[in-house]
Amino acid sequence: SQSEVGCLTAITFDGERLWQNGTPDPWAYLLTNDVGVQINDVDGDGTNEVVFCRDFEIVVAEGATGKTKFTAPTPKSQPEPGRAPRFPRILGDCLMFADLSGAGARRDLLIKDRYRNLWAYNHRLEPLWTLPLNTGHYGFPCDLNRDGREEIAIGYSMVSPDGEILW
């Protein structure tokens, strides 16, 4: 329950390695939880970036080269009743993209801890809001009210683009 991206390797369909970020760990072969990594055109330039969490940072890297474009610290860990946080910042249990701003593309980033908190960032990784709730595993963005901004179905809740629980 405390894992993060250790190594990313981009390969062609023919098996040619394009780039590698991190060091492979032969002992890290079992994965039983969500890990913070996604591919998305974050900046809207028509090419995909690889977005991942490692070493308490959110990293946005060029998809073609793996070169880091920009980073931001992961959110600070929130205390749980009767338990001190294991780390000062979250590892990044899951990443998902949504159109919270109404830009017409899913470029806003949502990140969660294991099960208790959800954070939203814009496409420049500037914080938008934080919400404590039962997150479950992976949210689903959808524009329920057709206003051009996506709500998030996550855990047992529907969350507005502004971070308010609708139901």
Side-chain angles (χ1 to χ4, degrees):
S1 66
Q2 302 292 334
S3 62
E4 63 181 339
V5 173
C7 181
L8 293 171
T9 305
I11 59 172
T12 67
F13 286 113
D14 295 324
E16 176 190 348
R17 187 169 82 180
L18 299 173
W19 55 263
Q20 189 168 72
N21 185 307
T23 304
D25 181 354
W27 292 99
Y29 62 89
L30 180 63
L31 183 62
T32 62
N33 58 285
D34 302 325
V35 177
V37 62
Q38 290 291 325
I39 298 172
N40 191 39
D41 182 5
V42 176
D43 55 16
D45 68 355
T47 62
N48 284 330
E49 285 77 35
V50 178
V51 183
F52 62 95
C53 295
R54 183 189 302 135
D55 299 329
F56 308 108
E57 283 190 319
I58 305 167
V59 179
V60 177
E62 291 178 355
T65 66
K67 179 181 173 188
T68 298
K69 293 178 86 168
F70 55 96
T71 67
T74 57
K76 290 183 179 178
S77 295
Q78 303 298 306
E80 295 181 31
R83 287 177 60 179
R86 185 167 178 188
F87 303 111
R89 295 189 171 275
I90 71 166
L91 295 173
D93 186 69
C94 169
L95 299 176
M96 63 194 107
F97 286 92
D99 187 4
L100 304 176
S101 61
R106 290 181 172 165
R107 293 194 188 116
D108 301 306
L109 178 71
L110 294 153
I111 183 173
K112 70 179 199 66
D113 59 12
R114 196 72 180 120
Y115 294 117
R116 299 183 181 271
N117 298 282
L118 179 66
W119 292 266
Y121 292 82
N122 66 20
H123 67 281
R124 294 179 302 276
L125 299 184
E126 298 167 334
L128 298 174
W129 47 261
T130 303
L131 182 64
L133 78 162
N134 181 331
T135 63
H137 284 279
Y138 196 83
F140 181 79
C142 52
D143 185 5
L144 287 180
N145 60 7
R146 297 188 175 149
D147 67 350
R149 300 170 68 206
E150 291 183 312
E151 290 74 32
I152 309 299
I154 188 162
Y156 303 108
S157 303
M158 184 62 65
V159 178
S160 79
D162 297 314
E164 299 170 1
I165 294 179
L166 299 172
W167 47 268

